[in-house]
Amino acid sequence: MPSVAGFPAGLASLVLQASAPFTVLLGVLLLGERLTPRRALGVGVAVLGLVVVGASRADGSAGQLVPFLLVVLGAFGWAIGNLSSRLAAPPNPLHLTLWMSVVPPLPMLAVSLLVEGPAEIGAALATSGTAAALPAWLGLAYTVVLGTVVGSGIWVWLMARHPAGVVAPFSMLVPVVGISAAWWALGERPTVLELGGGALVVGGAPGAPRP
């Protein structure tokens, strides 16, 4: 099964939905938002789903479990970002999104230097103008324009105007696209246990708007 840093890309988009229960819990602890019984139940179900997915990835080796925990940590970071966007309440969400985009390249470059090394980075830069690099440039353009400027701008706008626990569950749309794209483009086939745990995470994402 193709994977990114030891963890399947499609499954990663599913586990990242842990950001929803994290956002609700942090909203209660840090912003004083109300935790209804419905949301509390959703948090419990989502955590159970994470345990199921984690158990499916645990084979007694750190090589399987550590990538899963890193994705969960990423979801926690996303939740902190959600609350930060709500507290910032920017009059122009696009401006905040652009300023936020200035910082991440610095730690990412540091991690790349540590993990890949200067030689690998130099080789990537040297071949960046070749036809083989075109898919990478297209992926970068998609990430920058649609994923960051458009997507994050809309997300920040929503977070500034609605309770964090109400907006966060809409991230449930991410794994639908992520798993489908990974299945089609990378040939990833998640196991039944992984899909079951993921369904619990998505289904338990609390705070969905009332009909």
Side-chain angles (χ1 to χ4, degrees), residues 12-184:
S13 70
L14 197 62
V15 176
L16 276 174
Q17 301 324 300
S19 63
F22 281 145
T23 298
V24 172
L25 289 177
L26 289 176
V28 171
L29 294 174
L30 302 179
L31 302 185
E33 294 185 354
R34 189 167 62 94
L35 181 63
T36 64
R38 176 182 178 182
R39 291 181 182 178
L41 177 62
V43 170
V45 172
V47 170
L48 176 61
L50 286 176
V51 172
V52 171
V53 175
S56 71
R57 302 295 299 177
D59 60 356
S61 67
Q64 289 291 324
L65 188 58
V66 170
F68 164 74
L69 294 177
L70 288 175
V71 176
V72 173
L73 185 60
F76 183 76
W78 186 358
I80 293 176
N82 286 339
L83 264 65
S84 299
S85 298
R86 174 157 175 73
L87 288 174
N92 191 324
L94 180 58
H95 289 174
L96 178 62
T97 301
L98 293 176
W99 276 111
M100 288 192 301
S101 301
V102 174
V103 179
L106 300 178
M108 292 302 295
L109 178 59
V111 171
S112 181
L113 285 171
L114 291 173
V115 176
E116 299 170 322
E120 190 73 20
I121 295 175
L125 292 175
T127 58
S128 61
T130 64
L134 182 59
W137 283 112
L138 292 175
L140 179 62
Y142 172 84
T143 301
V144 171
V145 178
L146 295 180
T148 302
V149 176
V150 177
S152 296
I154 293 174
W155 189 259
V156 170
W157 184 87
L158 289 172
M159 276 292 173
R161 288 158 178 79
H162 302 282
V166 171
V167 178
F170 280 99
S171 62
M172 291 186 294
L173 295 173
V174 172
V176 176
V177 177
I179 291 181
S180 300
W183 195 316
W184 173 73

